[in-house]
Amino acid sequence: MMVSRLVRQAKKGNKDALLQLIMADRDAYYRLAYSYMGNEHDAMDAMEDMIVTLYEKIEQLQKREAFYSWSKTILVNRCKALLRKNGKFQPLEEELDASVPALTEADPYRSTEAEMDMQTLLAHLNAQQREAIELRYVHDFPYQTIADMTGVPLGTIKSRISLGMQKLKDIIGGERYEYH
């Protein structure tokens, strides 16, 4: 109920109400921005852009209870826009899978999955699978929210996560791991 009241106040131009909404979930916003941007400075820039956008477009929010998923969608879009602007965003076609060293049975340094860096593992996935898996398992967003945030159909999100998890499972040791 508190969120609904604060959104209503923010829609009437109350900047403090908007700030309270943002501050209530600031850690989640920061983690989300950092996962896209890769460093603190750029993550903070993306959050700053998100706040300005929220202030300018708050009246467009239809359902007050959807504020957090709506605002996180805006944050994701701001992150992607900043990455494109800075030349760091690579569309899927331009991604170079060869730049990531392969983790194979022939690799004498591979012993257990505990020694593998999660980012190295995720780097084996294409950008779309990596994004969907990070949003689902790192940020704990429901499938529908991920679909809404990325503008992709729900079935496609589920497929990306399933295929990505299968690929990760194959990399770290096959059938002994189950996810759900």
Side-chain angles (χ1 to χ4, degrees), residues 38-52:
N39 67 64
E40 181 180 352
H41 178 74
D42 290 344
M44 295 304 283
D45 284 349
M47 288 175 60
E48 199 173 285
D49 283 359
M50 175 203 66
I51 292 168
V52 170

Side-chain angles (χ1 to χ4, degrees), residues 106-126:
D107 185 353
Y109 299 106
R110 179 184 154 201
S111 56
T112 67
E113 68 280 359
E115 296 173 11
M116 292 182 209
D117 177 53
M118 182 55 80
Q119 291 304 319
T120 301
L121 284 172
L122 290 175
H124 283 68
L125 304 176
N126 69 45

Side-chain angles (χ1 to χ4, degrees), residues 6 39 49 53 102 111 114 130 150 156 165 168:
L6 287 171
N39 67 64
D49 283 359
T53 303
S111 56
R130 184 171 48 249
T150 58
T156 302
M165 293 302 289
L168 290 175

Side-chain angles (χ1 to χ4, degrees), residues 47-63:
M47 288 175 60
E48 199 173 285
D49 283 359
M50 175 203 66
I51 292 168
V52 170
T53 303
L54 289 176
Y55 182 72
E56 292 172 345
K57 298 186 179 211
I58 188 78
E59 71 280 347
Q60 295 177 8
L61 178 61
Q62 300 295 318
K63 296 179 182 176

Side-chain angles (χ1 to χ4, degrees), residues 12-155:
K12 292 178 182 176
N14 185 334
K15 293 177 187 176
D16 290 333
L18 183 60
L19 185 59
Q20 284 179 29
L21 287 163
I22 294 165
M23 294 305 287
D25 211 16
R26 68 182 174 272
D27 291 339
Y29 286 119
Y30 177 77
R31 283 191 312 273
L32 181 59
Y34 191 91
S35 71
Y36 276 90
M37 305 308 291
N39 67 64
E40 181 180 352
H41 178 74
D42 290 344
M44 295 304 283
D45 284 349
M47 288 175 60
E48 199 173 285
D49 283 359
M50 175 203 66
I51 292 168
V52 170
T53 303
L54 289 176
Y55 182 72
E56 292 172 345
K57 298 186 179 211
I58 188 78
E59 71 280 347
Q60 295 177 8
L61 178 61
Q62 300 295 318
K63 296 179 182 176
R64 292 189 296 242
E65 62 277 1
F67 175 80
Y68 286 110
S69 62
W70 177 72
S71 60
K72 288 173 183 170
T73 300
I74 289 173
L75 180 58
V76 167
N77 290 335
R78 293 311 309 146
C79 288
K80 288 179 178 181
L82 286 171
L83 288 170
R84 274 191 297 276
K85 179 181 172 189
N86 296 334
K88 295 178 185 175
F89 183 76
Q90 289 185 334
L92 189 58
E93 313 78 63
E94 297 175 18
E95 220 172 76
L96 300 175
D97 290 329
S99 65
V100 179
L103 297 173
T104 64
E105 293 298 330
D107 185 353
Y109 299 106
R110 179 184 154 201
S111 56
T112 67
E113 68 280 359
E115 296 173 11
M116 292 182 209
D117 177 53
M118 182 55 80
Q119 291 304 319
T120 301
L121 284 172
L122 290 175
H124 283 68
L125 304 176
N126 69 45
Q128 295 169 333
Q129 290 170 338
R130 184 171 48 249
E131 177 183 41
I133 287 172
E134 283 186 15
L135 290 172
R136 177 70 185 114
Y137 295 107
V138 176
H139 299 288
D140 202 29
F141 288 121
Y143 292 109
Q144 187 60 56
T145 301
I146 297 168
D148 294 342
M149 291 173 78
T150 58
V152 174
L154 178 62

Side-chain angles (χ1 to χ4, degrees), residues 151-166:
V152 174
L154 178 62
T156 302
I157 292 300
K158 288 181 177 181
S159 176
R160 287 176 182 174
I161 290 172
S162 178
L163 292 171
M165 293 302 289
Q166 183 61 49

